Amino acid sequence: MGIGTHEVADLQGFTDALAAYRPGDEVVLRYLRDGEARETTVRLGDRADRP
């Protein structure tokens, strides 16, 4: 599973994948749900915009 062109197998992979993009970028998020591979497009936010 992964984010954009980056494979994510663990927390470090997730951190590395997010570091490759900027807030506002749209990336394909690939994940497993009930054993089925799925994907969706997401727009990354900025941590400063969180409530």
Side-chain angles (χ1 to χ4, degrees):
M1 304 296 76
I3 299 172
T5 60
H6 300 270
E7 292 299 317
V8 175
D10 55 24
L11 185 57
Q12 185 62 51
F14 181 74
T15 301
D16 293 343
L18 287 179
Y21 299 100
R22 297 207 177 277
D25 286 350
E26 284 191 3
V27 295
V28 174
L29 179 66
R30 297 179 317 279
Y31 61 98
L32 284 177
R33 175 64 54 102
D34 296 327
E36 181 180 334
R38 297 184 183 194
E39 63 180 46
T40 191
T41 301
V42 298
R43 182 182 315 267
L44 301 175
D46 190 330
R47 292 182 75 173
D49 294 335
R50 294 188 327 188

Short mmCIF file of all heavy atoms in Angstrom, two decimals:
data_model
loop_
_atom_site.label_atom_id
_atom_site.label_comp_id
_atom_site.label_asym_id
_atom_site.label_seq_id
_atom_site.Cartn_x
_atom_site.Cartn_y
_atom_site.Cartn_z
N MET A 1 0.83 -1.15 0.00
CA MET A 1 0.00 0.00 0.00
C MET A 1 0.89 1.23 0.00
O MET A 1 2.06 1.14 0.33
CB MET A 1 -0.91 -0.03 1.21
CG MET A 1 -1.77 -1.33 1.30
SD MET A 1 -3.00 -1.67 0.00
CE MET A 1 -2.08 -2.24 -1.39
N GLY A 2 0.34 2.36 -0.33
CA GLY A 2 1.22 3.50 -0.41
C GLY A 2 0.53 4.82 -0.63
O GLY A 2 -0.69 4.93 -0.70
N ILE A 3 1.38 5.83 -0.76
CA ILE A 3 0.94 7.20 -1.00
C ILE A 3 1.68 7.68 -2.25
O ILE A 3 2.92 7.70 -2.26
CB ILE A 3 1.28 8.11 0.19
CG1 ILE A 3 0.57 7.63 1.44
CG2 ILE A 3 0.93 9.56 -0.13
CD1 ILE A 3 0.99 8.37 2.70
N GLY A 4 0.93 8.07 -3.26
CA GLY A 4 1.55 8.51 -4.51
C GLY A 4 2.43 7.41 -5.08
O GLY A 4 2.01 6.27 -5.19
N THR A 5 3.67 7.74 -5.35
CA THR A 5 4.60 6.76 -5.93
C THR A 5 5.40 6.01 -4.86
O THR A 5 6.25 5.21 -5.19
CB THR A 5 5.58 7.45 -6.89
OG1 THR A 5 6.30 8.45 -6.17
CG2 THR A 5 4.85 8.10 -8.06
N HIS A 6 5.11 6.27 -3.59
CA HIS A 6 5.87 5.68 -2.48
C HIS A 6 5.12 4.50 -1.86
O HIS A 6 3.94 4.61 -1.54
CB HIS A 6 6.12 6.73 -1.40
CG HIS A 6 6.91 7.90 -1.91
ND1 HIS A 6 8.27 7.95 -1.86
CD2 HIS A 6 6.50 9.06 -2.49
CE1 HIS A 6 8.68 9.09 -2.39
NE2 HIS A 6 7.62 9.77 -2.79
N GLU A 7 5.84 3.42 -1.67
CA GLU A 7 5.29 2.27 -0.96
C GLU A 7 5.39 2.55 0.54
O GLU A 7 6.39 3.12 1.01
CB GLU A 7 6.04 0.99 -1.31
CG GLU A 7 5.83 0.55 -2.73
CD GLU A 7 4.37 0.26 -3.06
OE1 GLU A 7 3.69 -0.39 -2.24
OE2 GLU A 7 3.92 0.71 -4.12
N VAL A 8 4.38 2.14 1.29
CA VAL A 8 4.37 2.36 2.74
C VAL A 8 4.15 1.01 3.42
O VAL A 8 3.09 0.41 3.29
CB VAL A 8 3.26 3.35 3.15
CG1 VAL A 8 3.19 3.46 4.65
CG2 VAL A 8 3.49 4.71 2.51
N ALA A 9 5.17 0.56 4.15
CA ALA A 9 5.08 -0.70 4.86
C ALA A 9 5.08 -0.50 6.38
O ALA A 9 4.72 -1.40 7.12
CB ALA A 9 6.25 -1.61 4.47
N ASP A 10 5.51 0.70 6.81
CA ASP A 10 5.59 0.96 8.24
C ASP A 10 5.52 2.48 8.48
O ASP A 10 5.39 3.25 7.53
CB ASP A 10 6.88 0.37 8.82
CG ASP A 10 8.14 0.84 8.10
OD1 ASP A 10 8.13 1.92 7.47
OD2 ASP A 10 9.15 0.12 8.17
N LEU A 11 5.61 2.88 9.73
CA LEU A 11 5.49 4.28 10.08
C LEU A 11 6.59 5.12 9.43
O LEU A 11 6.34 6.25 8.98
CB LEU A 11 5.52 4.46 11.60
CG LEU A 11 5.29 5.87 12.12
CD1 LEU A 11 3.97 6.44 11.62
CD2 LEU A 11 5.34 5.88 13.63
N GLN A 12 7.79 4.60 9.36
CA GLN A 12 8.88 5.35 8.72
C GLN A 12 8.59 5.56 7.24
O GLN A 12 8.81 6.64 6.70
CB GLN A 12 10.23 4.64 8.89
CG GLN A 12 11.39 5.45 8.35
CD GLN A 12 11.57 6.78 9.06
OE1 GLN A 12 11.63 6.84 10.28
NE2 GLN A 12 11.65 7.87 8.30
N GLY A 13 8.06 4.55 6.58
CA GLY A 13 7.69 4.68 5.17
C GLY A 13 6.60 5.71 4.97
O GLY A 13 6.60 6.47 4.00
N PHE A 14 5.65 5.77 5.90
CA PHE A 14 4.57 6.76 5.86
C PHE A 14 5.15 8.17 6.00
O PHE A 14 4.81 9.08 5.23
CB PHE A 14 3.58 6.46 6.99
CG PHE A 14 2.41 7.39 7.05
CD1 PHE A 14 1.39 7.31 6.11
CD2 PHE A 14 2.32 8.35 8.04
CE1 PHE A 14 0.31 8.17 6.16
CE2 PHE A 14 1.24 9.20 8.11
CZ PHE A 14 0.23 9.12 7.16
N THR A 15 6.05 8.35 6.96
CA THR A 15 6.70 9.64 7.18
C THR A 15 7.49 10.06 5.95
O THR A 15 7.42 11.22 5.51
CB THR A 15 7.62 9.56 8.41
OG1 THR A 15 6.84 9.20 9.54
CG2 THR A 15 8.32 10.88 8.68
N ASP A 16 8.26 9.14 5.38
CA ASP A 16 9.05 9.45 4.18
C ASP A 16 8.16 9.82 3.01
O ASP A 16 8.46 10.76 2.26
CB ASP A 16 9.93 8.26 3.81
CG ASP A 16 11.01 7.96 4.83
OD1 ASP A 16 11.31 8.84 5.68
OD2 ASP A 16 11.55 6.84 4.80
N ALA A 17 7.06 9.11 2.84
CA ALA A 17 6.14 9.40 1.73
C ALA A 17 5.54 10.79 1.89
O ALA A 17 5.49 11.57 0.94
CB ALA A 17 5.04 8.34 1.67
N LEU A 18 5.09 11.14 3.08
CA LEU A 18 4.50 12.47 3.30
C LEU A 18 5.53 13.58 3.10
O LEU A 18 5.19 14.65 2.60
CB LEU A 18 3.90 12.56 4.70
CG LEU A 18 2.60 11.80 4.91
CD1 LEU A 18 2.13 11.97 6.35
CD2 LEU A 18 1.52 12.23 3.94
N ALA A 19 6.78 13.33 3.45
CA ALA A 19 7.83 14.34 3.30
C ALA A 19 8.11 14.65 1.83
O ALA A 19 8.64 15.72 1.52
CB ALA A 19 9.10 13.88 4.00
N ALA A 20 7.73 13.76 0.94
CA ALA A 20 7.99 13.95 -0.49
C ALA A 20 6.98 14.90 -1.14
O ALA A 20 7.16 15.29 -2.30
CB ALA A 20 7.97 12.61 -1.20
N TYR A 21 5.93 15.27 -0.42
CA TYR A 21 4.86 16.10 -0.97
C TYR A 21 4.69 17.36 -0.15
O TYR A 21 5.17 17.45 0.97
CB TYR A 21 3.55 15.30 -1.02
CG TYR A 21 3.66 14.09 -1.89
CD1 TYR A 21 3.86 12.83 -1.33
CD2 TYR A 21 3.60 14.18 -3.27
CE1 TYR A 21 3.99 11.71 -2.13
CE2 TYR A 21 3.73 13.07 -4.07
CZ TYR A 21 3.92 11.84 -3.50
OH TYR A 21 4.06 10.73 -4.30
N ARG A 22 3.95 18.31 -0.71
CA ARG A 22 3.67 19.57 -0.03
C ARG A 22 2.17 19.69 0.24
O ARG A 22 1.37 19.07 -0.46
CB ARG A 22 4.10 20.73 -0.92
CG ARG A 22 5.58 20.75 -1.20
CD ARG A 22 6.01 22.19 -1.46
NE ARG A 22 7.42 22.33 -1.68
CZ ARG A 22 8.32 22.42 -0.70
NH1 ARG A 22 7.96 22.35 0.53
NH2 ARG A 22 9.60 22.59 -0.99
N PRO A 23 1.80 20.50 1.22
CA PRO A 23 0.38 20.75 1.45
C PRO A 23 -0.28 21.25 0.16
O PRO A 23 0.30 22.05 -0.57
CB PRO A 23 0.37 21.84 2.53
CG PRO A 23 1.65 21.63 3.26
CD PRO A 23 2.64 21.21 2.20
N GLY A 24 -1.46 20.72 -0.11
CA GLY A 24 -2.18 21.08 -1.32
C GLY A 24 -1.99 20.10 -2.46
O GLY A 24 -2.76 20.10 -3.41
N ASP A 25 -0.94 19.26 -2.39
CA ASP A 25 -0.73 18.25 -3.43
C ASP A 25 -1.84 17.22 -3.39
O ASP A 25 -2.32 16.86 -2.31
CB ASP A 25 0.61 17.52 -3.23
CG ASP A 25 1.82 18.36 -3.60
OD1 ASP A 25 1.64 19.45 -4.19
OD2 ASP A 25 2.94 17.91 -3.28
N GLU A 26 -2.24 16.74 -4.55
CA GLU A 26 -3.18 15.63 -4.64
C GLU A 26 -2.39 14.37 -4.95
O GLU A 26 -1.56 14.39 -5.86
CB GLU A 26 -4.22 15.87 -5.73
CG GLU A 26 -5.27 16.86 -5.33
CD GLU A 26 -6.44 16.92 -6.29
OE1 GLU A 26 -6.47 16.14 -7.26
OE2 GLU A 26 -7.32 17.75 -6.06
N VAL A 27 -2.62 13.33 -4.18
CA VAL A 27 -1.92 12.06 -4.37
C VAL A 27 -2.92 10.91 -4.30
O VAL A 27 -3.99 11.04 -3.71
CB VAL A 27 -0.82 11.84 -3.30
CG1 VAL A 27 0.28 12.87 -3.43
CG2 VAL A 27 -1.38 11.85 -1.91
N VAL A 28 -2.54 9.80 -4.90
CA VAL A 28 -3.36 8.59 -4.82
C VAL A 28 -2.97 7.85 -3.56
O VAL A 28 -1.79 7.58 -3.32
CB VAL A 28 -3.17 7.70 -6.07
CG1 VAL A 28 -3.92 6.39 -5.91
CG2 VAL A 28 -3.63 8.45 -7.31
N LEU A 29 -3.95 7.54 -2.74
CA LEU A 29 -3.75 6.78 -1.51
C LEU A 29 -4.22 5.36 -1.77
O LEU A 29 -5.37 5.14 -2.15
CB LEU A 29 -4.57 7.41 -0.37
CG LEU A 29 -4.51 6.72 0.98
CD1 LEU A 29 -3.10 6.84 1.56
CD2 LEU A 29 -5.52 7.34 1.91
N ARG A 30 -3.31 4.39 -1.63
CA ARG A 30 -3.63 2.98 -1.86
C ARG A 30 -3.66 2.27 -0.51
O ARG A 30 -2.74 2.41 0.29
CB ARG A 30 -2.58 2.34 -2.76
CG ARG A 30 -2.55 2.98 -4.15
CD ARG A 30 -1.49 2.38 -5.07
NE ARG A 30 -0.19 2.14 -4.47
CZ ARG A 30 0.75 3.06 -4.29
NH1 ARG A 30 0.53 4.31 -4.64
NH2 ARG A 30 1.91 2.74 -3.76
N TYR A 31 -4.75 1.54 -0.24
CA TYR A 31 -4.94 0.91 1.07
C TYR A 31 -5.72 -0.38 0.93
O TYR A 31 -6.27 -0.68 -0.12
CB TYR A 31 -5.65 1.88 2.02
CG TYR A 31 -7.03 2.30 1.54
CD1 TYR A 31 -8.16 1.67 2.04
CD2 TYR A 31 -7.21 3.31 0.61
CE1 TYR A 31 -9.43 2.04 1.61
CE2 TYR A 31 -8.45 3.69 0.19
CZ TYR A 31 -9.57 3.05 0.69
OH TYR A 31 -10.81 3.42 0.26
N LEU A 32 -5.76 -1.16 2.01
CA LEU A 32 -6.54 -2.40 2.07
C LEU A 32 -7.75 -2.18 2.94
O LEU A 32 -7.65 -1.60 4.03
CB LEU A 32 -5.73 -3.54 2.68
CG LEU A 32 -4.67 -4.19 1.82
CD1 LEU A 32 -3.93 -5.25 2.64
CD2 LEU A 32 -5.27 -4.80 0.58
N ARG A 33 -8.91 -2.66 2.49
CA ARG A 33 -10.13 -2.61 3.29
C ARG A 33 -10.79 -3.97 3.15
O ARG A 33 -11.10 -4.40 2.04
CB ARG A 33 -11.04 -1.50 2.78
CG ARG A 33 -12.41 -1.40 3.42
CD ARG A 33 -12.37 -1.05 4.92
NE ARG A 33 -11.64 0.13 5.25
CZ ARG A 33 -12.16 1.30 5.53
NH1 ARG A 33 -13.45 1.47 5.51
NH2 ARG A 33 -11.40 2.32 5.82
N ASP A 34 -10.95 -4.68 4.25
CA ASP A 34 -11.55 -6.01 4.25
C ASP A 34 -10.84 -6.94 3.27
O ASP A 34 -11.46 -7.71 2.55
CB ASP A 34 -13.04 -5.95 3.92
CG ASP A 34 -13.83 -5.19 4.97
OD1 ASP A 34 -13.44 -5.27 6.17
OD2 ASP A 34 -14.82 -4.53 4.62
N GLY A 35 -9.50 -6.81 3.21
CA GLY A 35 -8.69 -7.67 2.35
C GLY A 35 -8.69 -7.27 0.89
O GLY A 35 -8.05 -7.93 0.08
N GLU A 36 -9.39 -6.21 0.53
CA GLU A 36 -9.49 -5.77 -0.86
C GLU A 36 -8.66 -4.49 -1.06
O GLU A 36 -8.77 -3.54 -0.29
CB GLU A 36 -10.95 -5.47 -1.20
CG GLU A 36 -11.17 -5.02 -2.62
CD GLU A 36 -12.63 -4.73 -2.90
OE1 GLU A 36 -13.51 -5.31 -2.22
OE2 GLU A 36 -12.89 -3.90 -3.79
N ALA A 37 -7.81 -4.49 -2.08
CA ALA A 37 -7.00 -3.31 -2.39
C ALA A 37 -7.91 -2.23 -2.98
O ALA A 37 -8.73 -2.50 -3.85
CB ALA A 37 -5.91 -3.67 -3.38
N ARG A 38 -7.77 -1.03 -2.45
CA ARG A 38 -8.57 0.11 -2.92
C ARG A 38 -7.66 1.30 -3.08
O ARG A 38 -6.54 1.33 -2.57
CB ARG A 38 -9.67 0.45 -1.92
CG ARG A 38 -10.67 -0.65 -1.74
CD ARG A 38 -11.76 -0.21 -0.84
NE ARG A 38 -12.70 -1.30 -0.60
CZ ARG A 38 -13.87 -1.13 -0.06
NH1 ARG A 38 -14.26 0.06 0.31
NH2 ARG A 38 -14.67 -2.16 0.13
N GLU A 39 -8.15 2.33 -3.77
CA GLU A 39 -7.40 3.57 -3.87
C GLU A 39 -8.36 4.73 -4.02
O GLU A 39 -9.49 4.58 -4.49
CB GLU A 39 -6.39 3.55 -5.01
CG GLU A 39 -6.94 3.41 -6.38
CD GLU A 39 -5.84 3.39 -7.43
OE1 GLU A 39 -4.84 2.68 -7.27
OE2 GLU A 39 -6.01 4.09 -8.44
N THR A 40 -7.88 5.88 -3.57
CA THR A 40 -8.64 7.11 -3.69
C THR A 40 -7.65 8.26 -3.82
O THR A 40 -6.48 8.13 -3.46
CB THR A 40 -9.57 7.32 -2.46
OG1 THR A 40 -10.46 8.37 -2.72
CG2 THR A 40 -8.78 7.58 -1.20
N THR A 41 -8.11 9.37 -4.32
CA THR A 41 -7.26 10.55 -4.44
C THR A 41 -7.56 11.47 -3.26
O THR A 41 -8.72 11.71 -2.93
CB THR A 41 -7.54 11.28 -5.76
OG1 THR A 41 -7.28 10.38 -6.84
CG2 THR A 41 -6.64 12.50 -5.92
N VAL A 42 -6.50 11.96 -2.63
CA VAL A 42 -6.65 12.86 -1.49
C VAL A 42 -5.81 14.13 -1.72
O VAL A 42 -4.82 14.10 -2.45
CB VAL A 42 -6.22 12.19 -0.16
CG1 VAL A 42 -7.10 10.99 0.15
CG2 VAL A 42 -4.77 11.78 -0.20
N ARG A 43 -6.25 15.22 -1.10
CA ARG A 43 -5.47 16.45 -1.13
C ARG A 43 -4.84 16.60 0.25
O ARG A 43 -5.56 16.60 1.27
CB ARG A 43 -6.35 17.66 -1.44
CG ARG A 43 -5.56 18.95 -1.53
CD ARG A 43 -6.43 20.17 -1.78
NE ARG A 43 -7.42 19.93 -2.81
CZ ARG A 43 -7.25 20.22 -4.10
NH1 ARG A 43 -6.13 20.75 -4.51
NH2 ARG A 43 -8.22 19.98 -4.96
N LEU A 44 -3.54 16.74 0.30
CA LEU A 44 -2.83 16.85 1.56
C LEU A 44 -3.02 18.23 2.16
O LEU A 44 -2.97 19.24 1.47
CB LEU A 44 -1.35 16.56 1.37
CG LEU A 44 -1.03 15.18 0.79
CD1 LEU A 44 0.46 15.04 0.52
CD2 LEU A 44 -1.51 14.08 1.72
N GLY A 45 -3.24 18.25 3.47
CA GLY A 45 -3.42 19.51 4.18
C GLY A 45 -2.14 19.95 4.86
O GLY A 45 -1.12 19.27 4.84
N ASP A 46 -2.21 21.10 5.50
CA ASP A 46 -1.10 21.65 6.25
C ASP A 46 -1.38 21.46 7.73
O ASP A 46 -2.49 21.73 8.20
CB ASP A 46 -0.97 23.14 5.94
CG ASP A 46 0.29 23.75 6.49
OD1 ASP A 46 0.80 23.29 7.53
OD2 ASP A 46 0.77 24.70 5.87
N ARG A 47 -0.40 21.00 8.48
CA ARG A 47 -0.60 20.79 9.91
C ARG A 47 -1.05 22.06 10.61
O ARG A 47 -1.78 22.02 11.60
CB ARG A 47 0.68 20.27 10.56
CG ARG A 47 1.04 18.87 10.11
CD ARG A 47 2.26 18.41 10.79
NE ARG A 47 1.90 18.07 12.17
CZ ARG A 47 2.72 17.50 13.02
NH1 ARG A 47 3.93 17.19 12.67
NH2 ARG A 47 2.32 17.22 14.23
N ALA A 48 -0.62 23.20 10.12
CA ALA A 48 -0.98 24.48 10.75
C ALA A 48 -2.48 24.78 10.60
O ALA A 48 -3.01 25.59 11.34
CB ALA A 48 -0.17 25.61 10.13
N ASP A 49 -3.14 24.12 9.66
CA ASP A 49 -4.56 24.37 9.43
C ASP A 49 -5.47 23.51 10.31
O ASP A 49 -6.68 23.65 10.26
CB ASP A 49 -4.93 24.11 7.96
CG ASP A 49 -4.26 25.10 7.04
OD1 ASP A 49 -3.92 26.21 7.50
OD2 ASP A 49 -4.08 24.77 5.85
N ARG A 50 -4.87 22.63 11.11
CA ARG A 50 -5.67 21.76 11.97
C ARG A 50 -6.27 22.55 13.12
O ARG A 50 -5.64 23.49 13.62
CB ARG A 50 -4.83 20.62 12.53
CG ARG A 50 -4.37 19.68 11.46
CD ARG A 50 -3.70 18.45 11.99
NE ARG A 50 -2.94 18.65 13.22
CZ ARG A 50 -2.16 17.73 13.74
NH1 ARG A 50 -2.04 16.56 13.18
NH2 ARG A 50 -1.51 17.96 14.83
N PRO A 51 -7.46 22.16 13.55
CA PRO A 51 -8.08 22.87 14.70
C PRO A 51 -7.36 22.58 16.00
O PRO A 51 -6.68 21.66 16.18
CB PRO A 51 -9.50 22.32 14.75
CG PRO A 51 -9.53 21.12 13.89
CD PRO A 51 -8.30 21.14 13.03
#
